[in-house]
Amino acid sequence: TVRGRAAGQSIDALLATLDDVRRDTPFDAFRVGIGTGRPVDFGTCAYGPGRAAPLILQADAAYELAYGAFAGGDAGAAFERRDRMLRFAARDLEAAERRFDGDPSERAKLGTHGESIGALLEAQDRLREMSVEAPPAPEAGLSPIPRLGSLLDLAVSTLIDGLTSVAVVGSGTGGAFGLTYSSISSTGRHDMQHQSARDPAMRQAVWDVTTAEVSELARAVKRLDDAGILGETVVVYVGDNGEQHHSTASEFPVLLIGGGDLGLRGGRTVVYPGVASEGNRQLSNLWNTLGYLAGATLDDFGGEEGDLRRAFGPLGELMG
């Protein structure tokens, strides 16, 4: 991003455009997260330059979006209410476009709104055609670690039930760096990171948070394995910092799980040479690798140019 404006497409959005990934699922992607004070995060994913893809930060709203068609009760009522509002908005927009005689660039904005409403209505109609047993709704008022676990469960359910083939679960992303993990420390995550360089207790707290997050992820991954789809699913865990707080992005640990049926080689730790060394690779190469695993020849995703681009294409060491 540049000053909060998305500079390009994020990998989730690209993967969701591939026919072999999207298939006939209602949603291009299911994006949820944990933040502070806002219902939606526009700072994590993007459809393209200047086009943010929102993460839903309210668990009940995310549940209603995914499972309202099947859940009944308040979630079902929310689904029907959203359906009526979308159809009203679509009719209103059509009328506005017929009457509009202003600047063509402003008319294009109406067209963009129309495409978004149309995509949501298409998802609504597709959901009505499906028969899915809704999982339990996420609990309210959870602290960040259990809340992450509940969102991971919800995202995994959407994958298992065929509502989408791409899911994003963010924790403290999009500027919400101050989450407090009360079961681990009373110090907020942002200050925890600042103090970790000189305070061993804070460094241990950072490790404890990461351990707790990965434990929740492992439990969710077990559900994918039990459902028989882990081999065709790649789970990517990227920490919230690189090699240090206020990272230079010269080093980034990433955990990859699953994907054996797609050609991902597991059971190893792969360490690439440092940023100033021959053979250095970047996160963009990882995203290119995901494209190849999904059946697309993806060699230049990521946008780096000139000296910033160390190599094109996928990480061959990760692929069988």
Side-chain angles (χ1 to χ4, degrees), residues 38-156:
R38 296 175 299 178
V40 179
D41 161 41
F42 289 101
T44 301
C45 301
Y47 297 115
R51 298 179 59 217
L55 265 67
I56 302 173
L57 303 184
Q58 293 180 326
D60 56 346
Y63 180 79
E64 290 167 359
L65 175 67
Y67 286 100
F70 319 110
D74 291 342
F79 177 86
E80 296 298 338
R81 187 164 56 249
R82 183 172 65 249
D83 193 76
R84 291 193 298 272
M85 291 176 63
L86 286 170
R87 295 186 191 282
F88 171 81
R91 291 193 299 271
D92 193 53
L93 191 62
E94 288 176 1
E97 285 184 303
R98 286 196 300 270
R99 296 193 302 267
F100 189 84
D101 59 359
D103 187 280
S105 64
E106 296 300 314
R107 173 179 284 278
K109 292 180 181 179
L110 291 177
T112 299
H113 290 313
E115 291 174 5
S116 299
I117 292 171
L120 288 170
L121 281 172
E122 185 177 343
Q124 294 275 112
D125 292 339
R126 179 73 183 90
L127 288 168
R128 289 185 186 278
E129 297 171 355
M130 299 178 70
S131 177
V132 171
E133 183 177 347
E139 293 183 43
L142 296 175
S143 59
I145 294 297
R147 198 161 149 211
L148 175 65
S150 69
L151 291 179
L152 286 167
D153 276 336
L154 185 57
V156 164

Side-chain angles (χ1 to χ4, degrees), residues 1 67 100 254 258 289-290:
T1 61
Y67 286 100
F100 189 84
V254 177
T289 305
L290 296 184

